[in-house]
Amino acid sequence: MVVVIVEYRIDRRSGVPAFQQIVQQTKQALRLGVLVPGDRLPTAKDVAETSAVNPNTTLKAYRELEREGLVEPRPGQGTFVRRTLGRVDAGTDSPLYGELVTWMSKAAGAGLEQEDVAALVASAMEQQYAAGTKAATGPAGATGATGAMGAAGATGFTTTRSTGE
Amino acid sequence: MSDGMYAGEPALEAYGLGMRYRRGWALKDCSFRLPTGRICGLVGPNGAGKTTLLSIAAHVLEPTQGSVSLFGETPGSAESGRRTAFLAQEKPLFRRFTVAETLRLGRELNPGWDQRAAEDIVRAGNVPFDAKISTLSGGQRTRVALALAFGKRPDLLLLDEPMSDLDPVVRHEIMGTLLAEAAEHGTTVLMSTHVLAELENVCDYLVVVSGGGVRLAGDVDELMSVHTLVTGAKEGDGPPAALGQHTLVESRTSGRQFTALVRPQGPVTGPWETDSPTMEELLLAYLRSPEAPPLITPTAQVQGQGLDGSFGTGAVAA
């Protein structure tokens, strides 16, 4: 019997769908080195038992991770980690952070309140990441990044967060 | 969760099911389809006919109108009786039997009995096998009843308010056991409840009955994706007229604000905030508005149903 390495923590109040929480937590474990190639992810049955999550939800998350090439199912054995995720340069000393600070002071200068800024960031983030583009997940994520910067730059500044597409 | 995964006959189909008691109709024109392999929540207010529906499927009651089919067979046939297990709300067990004797009864009565599965469920809750049923706590009794149901190795498990008398910790634990067992054996589960929070992340299929009929039925993902929650400044007394092109499920106003749950027929554009509803918001909206047009998604429709276009074409694309 293989040891279960990670346990998912599903927050029912967060508003984030459970399958997305599983995807995010798996990626986080890959980034932190908690999960390494060859490790087996908990089975849908394990997750159901510990977190009371529908097994189909877990399978959906694993299919998503498989689509991104991070894990692979082995028939009759389970789902295994294929590759790790590089640590992204996301600290407060990174150039990206510097650009964000500059942008924030511009936003404050233009009279935007905290909530306006949060709405803008959420809207731009949705534009960028909702469509499934895997831009900026480190060097390995270079595929599919084409045109991503353009899309982010073209985000219309609107306070309406639209999900009706 | 494409249909390919669940190809084959549905676990349960209800055709125009109706039940009349002396005080009136408890269930009327109830039609829906439950594909195999799903964990389905059966939701509705008290007296909406949830127990009646489950009892008809379990062949405890005969319907006044319509029919139910379980894996293509009628309830009460040898085949459907073998493949179906029903756990009533009161969890009827012989109080003077011990846990071990209760499992033995299950073994003697059911040809395909899985003693190990049943024992594992009992053991997972540290319930002593030599304890009398009458001495067990509510949670332990539910666990033994669940062990009895799963020991039968049913393909369809009908549960009437299984968690109603349990504390949150035991509820979470038993729900975990239930989902794990269902995952291992591919059991279809139809589970009634009126605790909406219990369903989030647990169910992948929903059937809402209210006012005697089916209000909402289908895959959770699909049901969620075709609804949008809209908030904004109200115009006049109700929601803005521009929302009229969409199917309105429920709208409420407070002060100058309105909140509406709609099924968009095209993009929702306007000076409003739009968001996806949570499962609880979706269910509450339907339960509060019995006049809202019902929504039965194509996977949940039985033959001949949905010809009136009750499932908007604009929504299917979402």
Side-chain angles (χ1 to χ4, degrees):
Chain A
M1 194 63 201
V2 194
V3 183
V4 175
I5 296 159
V6 287
E7 194 170 292
Y8 297 111
R9 211 191 115 260
I10 306 301
D11 181 355
R12 278 154 215 276
R13 288 269 153 250
S14 69
V16 180
F19 93 92
Q20 239 158 40
Q21 295 188 41
I22 294 175
V23 169
Q24 284 165 2
Q25 288 175 29
T26 309
K27 286 185 176 172
Q28 187 62 16
L30 289 170
R31 259 182 225 114
L32 295 173
V34 174
L35 280 174
V36 295
D39 281 347
R40 199 197 68 165
L41 296 181
T43 63
K45 189 191 170 191
D46 295 333
V47 180
E49 200 144 28
T50 52
S51 312
V53 168
N54 186 300
N56 291 329
T57 303
T58 308
L59 295 177
K60 187 176 169 189
Y62 288 1
R63 277 199 299 275
E64 171 73 24
L65 291 164
E66 186 192 343
R67 213 173 47 80
E68 296 186 27
L70 297 172
V71 303
E72 62 181 350
R74 293 184 201 156
Q77 295 181 60
T79 304
F80 291 81
V81 176
R82 267 187 72 190
R83 65 175 178 84
T84 177
L85 268 177
R87 229 177 203 295
V88 185
D89 186 16
T92 47
D93 50 354
S94 74
L96 277 173
Y97 182 73
E99 282 176 45
L100 192 57
V101 169
T102 317
W103 183 86
M104 285 289 172
S105 67
K106 266 195 221 161
L112 268 67
E113 305 268 342
Q114 274 197 33
E115 292 76 15
D116 302 329
V117 171
L120 281 186
V121 170
S123 168
M125 208 148 70
E126 199 163 292
Q127 284 267 341
Q128 177 66 40
Y129 292 101
T133 43
K134 285 174 281 167
T137 46
T143 51
T146 44
M149 293 316 287
T155 304
F157 280 173
T158 143
T159 50
T160 313
R161 200 155 66 79
S162 175
T163 52
E165 44 203 12
Chain B
M1 267 177 280
S2 66
D3 274 306
M5 196 172 153
Y6 298 105
E9 57 187 349
L12 187 150
E13 278 186 306
Y15 304 94
L17 209 57
M19 186 74 191
R20 189 171 55 195
Y21 297 107
R22 205 176 306 168
R23 62 189 149 83
W25 290 92
L27 201 63
K28 221 174 170 182
D29 287 331
C30 176
S31 297
F32 69 92
R33 178 174 179 273
L34 172 61
T36 52
R38 310 293 169 105
I39 314 273
C40 177
L42 177 60
V43 183
N46 289 328
K50 301 189 294 286
T51 302
T52 301
L53 175 59
L54 290 170
S55 304
I56 292 171
H59 195 52
V60 175
L61 290 175
E62 283 285 347
T64 317
Q65 274 180 356
S67 64
V68 168
S69 108
L70 308 167
F71 303 102
E73 307 271 336
T74 54
S77 68
E79 175 72 358
S80 72
R82 191 180 56 73
R83 297 180 72 177
T84 310
F86 174 52
L87 183 49
Q89 194 172 353
E90 340 37 279
K91 290 153 200 108
L93 296 169
F94 291 107
R95 295 173 57 82
R96 291 169 61 189
F97 276 28
T98 65
V99 174
E101 285 164 350
T102 303
L103 295 192
R104 178 159 170 237
L105 183 71
R107 193 169 69 227
E108 306 276 343
L109 291 178
N110 295 286
W113 182 256
D114 185 341
Q115 180 75 9
R116 230 191 84 191
E119 281 181 7
D120 284 351
I121 294 174
V122 171
R123 216 171 278 128
N126 292 319
V127 183
F129 282 95
D130 56 358
K132 284 233 161 66
I133 297 295
S134 58
T135 65
L136 300 181
S137 69
Q140 288 174 323
R141 217 169 290 179
T142 300
R143 187 170 277 284
V144 173
L146 211 54
L148 204 56
F150 268 112
K152 194 180 171 186
R153 270 293 181 84
D155 293 319
L156 172 65
L157 185 54
L158 305 164
L159 302 171
D160 194 7
E161 299 274 357
M163 314 287 170
S164 57
D165 51 356
L166 306 181
D167 72 55
V169 174
V170 177
R171 188 179 286 225
H172 185 270
E173 182 192 298
I174 293 205
M175 195 63 98
T177 303
L178 172 70
L179 290 172
E181 289 298 318
E184 190 164 358
H185 305 296
T187 320
T188 309
V189 179
L190 178 60
M191 174 171 66
S192 78
T193 182
H194 50 219
V195 186
L196 303 184
E198 206 165 73
L199 297 171
E200 193 111 42
N201 297 335
V202 166
C203 296
D204 50 28
Y205 212 79
L206 277 177
V207 173
V208 178
V209 287
S210 163
V214 179
R215 319 288 318 147
L216 196 65
D219 267 307
V220 168
D221 283 355
E222 196 170 358
L223 292 176
M224 301 293 280
S225 70
V226 300
H227 287 90
T228 300
L229 201 62
V230 188
T231 342
K234 80 173 186 189
E235 294 169 8
D237 279 341
L243 269 180
Q245 56 163 314
H246 308 296
T247 308
L248 187 70
V249 177
E250 187 203 34
S251 80
R252 286 181 299 154
T253 53
S254 53
R256 295 202 182 88
Q257 199 190 39
F258 79 91
T259 308
L261 184 78
V262 299
R263 299 208 292 263
Q265 314 289 328
V268 181
T269 45
W272 313 309
E273 189 83 38
T274 62
D275 209 344
S276 321
T278 63
M279 191 194 278
E280 198 167 343
E281 283 167 334
L282 179 76
L283 290 170
L284 279 174
Y286 273 89
L287 292 175
R288 278 191 298 240
S289 346
E291 322 76 37
L295 174 63
I296 320 284
T297 68
T299 44
Q301 289 174 6
V302 293
Q303 228 168 13
Q305 204 182 0
L307 300 173
D308 55 342
S310 64
F311 189 70
T313 44
V316 182

